[in-house]
Amino acid sequence: MKLLIEQFVKRKAAPRRDELVIRLAVTADDDQLWWLPVASAPRQISWPEVAELSYKRPAQVLLDARGLRLDWLQLPPGVKPGEAELLLEDQLCQPLDEVEVLPLQKKGRQLLTATLDHRQAEAWQTRVESQGVRVDRWIPEDLAFAQASPEDDLVLVENGWVWHYQADEQKLLLLPEAVHQASGLLEGSLPLETEQLPQKALVPFMAEHLPPQVNLWPSSSLQALLRPLRRIKQLRTSFALIFPWLLVVVFLAGHLSFQQLASADSPARQEQLAQLARELLGEEVPLRNLRQQAQRRLELLQEHRQWQQQRLDAWSELQQVLRRLDHLELQALSLGEQGLTAQIEGVEEADQARLRQLDGRWTFTDKQARWENSL
């Protein structure tokens, strides 16, 4: 194993720009937040500072190697990148419905995938969104090491942890220093302290070796904006679950006449029907009014579902336009009872005609557009 320290000391630095970099660890207490200005030394900052700076320089987010898995897969003919999770099923310790498998890079039939537990993915995204931080890219930290040392092993130590990149296997190990030494992986050699690097710390070092174009969640900048849409989809799922049971209530109420309820065995039937009504409707409903109440609930749910679908359709149409005009940036999205409102940046005069093809009210100012779609 070779540890080429001089390789990093003598390497010609790439052109730099001010950079905001976040390293999200598995546990929030170990997160690192860095501001890397060109004109002064790198410095660690707080979450409020990150949120403020992210509006002029969206953050590059590095993800702890312990929180995800990277695999290079050989795609068989006919298998699309989005179906790659099927190739990993036998290698994972979790069912596929508990993980998120995302394609990152494709070289011929070789596909690089990242696999994360749903809870870890949600925790990372929520941690950043709750601070009001704008994100440019989400990047597995493994790929920064691969970019820095594509042909030789690299071993760095910081705060009692060892990052050991094995170039031949394209794999990054992250272990406590004592465990790494006991493993014999270094064959008697010592890892390089990050203080010996020109950048003096791990995160600024990785920031100088970010892989181009890689983004774990390409639409992540819209995650906070799309939370209302996710809630709509959840409501639609809830409607699909409750709909059959409401039909049961209507059916039962329609087939139990007042005379039946007044028959000798009516107390048992009344109690069963009353219990079902309480569970499904969430309130006490007089049995003689049960059918009317259930039908009204169905009508309201159907109206609400139709309204939700109209909003989703309108958003889908706007999303298609934004995909075609990929230089535009969605700055804000509001879902109200009356419809949708969107604020779009980077609009040139030539874009206005294409945007006006989308139904709704458009207002254009200096490189900005406001879209209002009333439903």
Side-chain angles (χ1 to χ4, degrees), residues 55-76:
Y55 277 84
K56 70 175 182 180
R57 179 64 67 189
Q60 309 292 321
V61 180
L62 293 162
L63 302 174
D64 192 333
R66 296 170 295 172
L68 53 80
R69 165 186 175 138
L70 296 184
D71 292 277
W72 278 102
L73 304 176
Q74 178 72 27
L75 289 178

Side-chain angles (χ1 to χ4, degrees), residues 76-294:
V79 176
K80 300 177 181 179
E83 302 167 341
E85 62 182 24
L86 301 176
L87 304 176
L88 285 169
E89 189 169 10
D90 294 338
Q91 304 176 42
L92 301 177
C93 300
Q94 293 176 271
L96 287 179
D97 58 0
E98 294 181 4
V99 299
E100 187 172 1
V101 179
L102 302 167
L104 288 179
Q105 290 179 328
K106 190 172 183 293
K107 298 178 181 179
R109 301 217 61 83
Q110 292 288 320
L111 179 71
L112 177 63
T113 63
T115 304
L116 305 87
D117 181 275
H118 280 303
R119 292 168 296 181
Q120 182 64 72
E122 180 69 19
W124 274 337
Q125 293 193 28
T126 301
R127 198 182 304 172
V128 172
E129 291 172 9
S130 65
Q131 300 292 338
V133 175
R134 295 182 62 192
V135 174
D136 180 32
R137 291 194 293 158
W138 306 76
I139 307 168
E141 66 179 352
D142 313 48
L143 300 182
F145 281 82
Q147 189 80 5
S149 184
E151 299 178 357
D152 298 290
D153 287 6
L154 174 61
V155 186
L156 300 176
V157 61
E158 184 175 79
N159 297 328
W161 287 90
V162 175
W163 285 258
H164 183 164
Y165 179 69
Q166 298 173 313
D168 56 341
E169 299 181 18
Q170 299 184 18
K171 180 185 296 182
L172 178 66
L173 301 177
L174 177 52
L175 301 169
E177 189 172 5
V179 173
H180 189 268
Q181 291 177 352
S183 68
L185 290 171
L186 288 179
E187 299 178 355
S189 302
L190 293 177
L192 176 65
E193 292 281 351
T194 54
E195 293 181 359
Q196 297 175 253
L197 295 171
Q199 302 84 359
K200 306 296 183 184
L202 178 70
V203 172
F205 167 77
M206 289 193 289
E208 291 197 357
H209 303 286
L210 298 179
Q213 301 179 342
V214 170
N215 189 0
L216 197 64
W217 292 295
S219 59
S220 59
S221 60
L222 303 180
Q223 290 298 318
L225 301 177
L226 301 185
R227 281 188 182 277
L229 289 170
R230 291 204 295 267
R231 287 198 293 270
I232 287 177
K233 292 180 180 179
Q234 291 169 357
L235 286 173
R236 290 175 64 191
T237 302
S238 300
F239 175 82
L241 291 174
I242 195 173
F243 186 83
W245 291 104
L246 284 171
L247 289 178
V248 170
V249 173
V250 174
F251 176 82
L252 289 176
H255 285 74
L256 288 175
S257 65
F258 182 78
Q259 288 77 12
Q260 288 175 309
L261 292 175
S263 62
D265 61 342
S266 63
R269 293 188 180 186
Q270 288 180 6
E271 179 57 31
Q272 290 175 356
L273 196 55
Q275 177 66 24
L276 185 59
R278 284 193 296 270
E279 292 178 356
L280 296 179
L281 302 181
E283 60 182 341
E284 294 284 349
V285 178
L287 293 183
R288 64 183 61 191
N289 298 330
L290 181 56
R291 183 179 183 184
Q292 181 181 358
Q293 288 282 352

